[in-house]
Amino acid sequence: MDRRDYTDRVLSSLRRVTEKEREAIRSELDGHIEDHMEALRELGYDEELAEERAIAAMGEPDEVGRELNRQYTGWGWVLVSRAAVVLTVVLCAQALLALGILGMVIDSISARIYPNEPSAYTAVAATERLDIRIPVGNDILRVYRISIGQADDTPGVWEAEVQLCAYDRIPGGIVSRRLMEQTWLEMPGGRRDPPKGSGRGNWRVEYGSCYVRLSPEDTYVVLRFEAFDEQIRLELPLPEQEGL
């Protein structure tokens, strides 16, 4: 079985995906197989054996497809920890090579289709899903949610939280961590709070959040990015919530 056969069998189990989502998943899986093959070539494996071992390390295609399909909802891919645990068992062979394929596959597919990191606020007063994708060099900076919550759980003091992820345009490519490091929020008048954020990631995808303190009259916040000889200024309307 070659890589094309493998991805065809994985995708055959996915019932409620669009053609665009299907091709994104195919490209992502193929990119991880190629990376695994490259590592094996460096260890002295020939092309045919490297492909065979790389595909074996990905796990049984029917089982991988079924587990991904179980995580799909009509609103997008929600890849939760339960799927990661199940797929870790399915892909246990990859752990022998310590390449971290599983987490990268899940994170990278999720970032492209339906990123869903939890908010930092214990109680969210207002929230809205977004889908803004900003090209920055070879990478994509994606803004996927804006929320309003209490700053440090202090009654009457509100903040805006903007959640982002970043990934390479080419599935399987490496993303620059500077995308998150050089992104921040400002008030409409230009005021910027001291940096505060949270995030996680790997060299395939980065997740992060930006925050800024709100004033009662604010109706939007400004997302700013300055790096790689590029400057971005994006006004993001705040989600409506009575009583704020």
Side-chain angles (χ1 to χ4, degrees):
M1 177 171 56
D2 61 19
R3 69 173 74 178
R4 180 75 184 189
D5 294 331
Y6 181 88
T7 53
D8 283 345
R9 285 181 58 181
V10 171
L11 292 170
S12 68
S13 298
L14 306 181
R15 305 302 182 192
R16 298 181 296 277
V17 295
T18 66
E19 193 60 33
K20 183 177 180 181
E21 290 170 341
R22 188 177 297 274
E23 288 308 307
I25 295 168
R26 178 188 296 280
S27 296
E28 190 63 32
L29 291 172
D30 191 67
H32 284 288
I33 292 172
E34 177 58 35
D35 284 346
H36 200 158
M37 288 177 62
E38 180 61 28
L40 292 172
R41 292 189 199 102
E42 292 178 359
L43 294 175
Y45 287 70
D46 62 35
E47 186 74 15
E48 183 176 352
L49 186 56
E51 183 176 47
E52 177 185 332
R53 294 293 175 85
I55 290 172
M58 294 293 288
E60 287 296 324
D62 295 337
E63 183 64 23
V64 171
R66 283 194 295 270
E67 289 304 323
L68 286 174
N69 193 56
R70 291 189 187 108
Q71 303 312 312
Y72 183 72
T73 70
W75 297 100
W77 288 95
V78 186
L79 300 170
V80 294
S81 58
R82 182 179 65 83
V85 172
V86 174
L87 285 175
T88 298
V89 176
V90 174
L91 305 181
C92 61
Q94 66 84 24
L96 297 175
L97 295 176
L99 295 178
I101 293 175
L102 170 62
M104 294 177 190
V105 170
I106 291 175
D107 276 350
S108 200
I109 290 176
S110 177
R112 285 167 166 77
I113 298 178
Y114 197 81
N116 199 39
E117 291 291 292
S119 170
Y121 301 128
T122 55
V124 177
T127 189
E128 182 180 349
R129 290 286 311 193
L130 304 172
D131 187 11
I132 302 172
R133 308 188 193 211
I134 307 167
V136 182
N138 292 328
D139 297 327
I140 299 294
L141 181 65
R142 181 175 184 180
V143 184
Y144 64 88
R145 185 185 290 119
I146 182 169
S147 303
I148 297 175
Q150 288 186 357
D152 302 318
D153 295 326
T154 304
V157 181
W158 301 96
E159 283 183 338
E161 174 192 52
V162 172
Q163 292 176 267
L164 314 100
C165 61
Y167 53 88
D168 194 275
R169 293 173 188 248
I170 302 172
I174 298 173
V175 64
S176 171
R177 295 196 169 183
R178 290 185 63 191
L179 282 174
M180 293 301 174
E181 295 171 355
Q182 301 298 323
T183 303
W184 70 90
L185 286 181
E186 293 179 352
M187 299 277 282
R191 182 177 65 79
R192 175 183 176 184
D193 285 345
K196 182 179 79 168
S198 61
R200 67 171 185 84
N202 53 59
W203 49 291
R204 296 297 191 197
V205 61
E206 289 286 323
Y207 291 90
S209 299
C210 299
Y211 303 85
V212 70
R213 192 72 55 91
L214 296 175
S215 297
E217 66 275 11
D218 291 334
T219 58
Y220 69 93
V221 293
V222 178
L223 183 74
R224 294 286 303 275
F225 172 84
E226 293 184 4
F228 308 116
D229 297 323
E230 295 198 41
Q231 296 186 9
I232 294 168
R233 184 183 186 277
L234 182 65
E235 294 184 3
L236 301 174
L238 294 169
E240 295 185 2
Q241 173 70 24
E242 294 183 2
L244 296 188

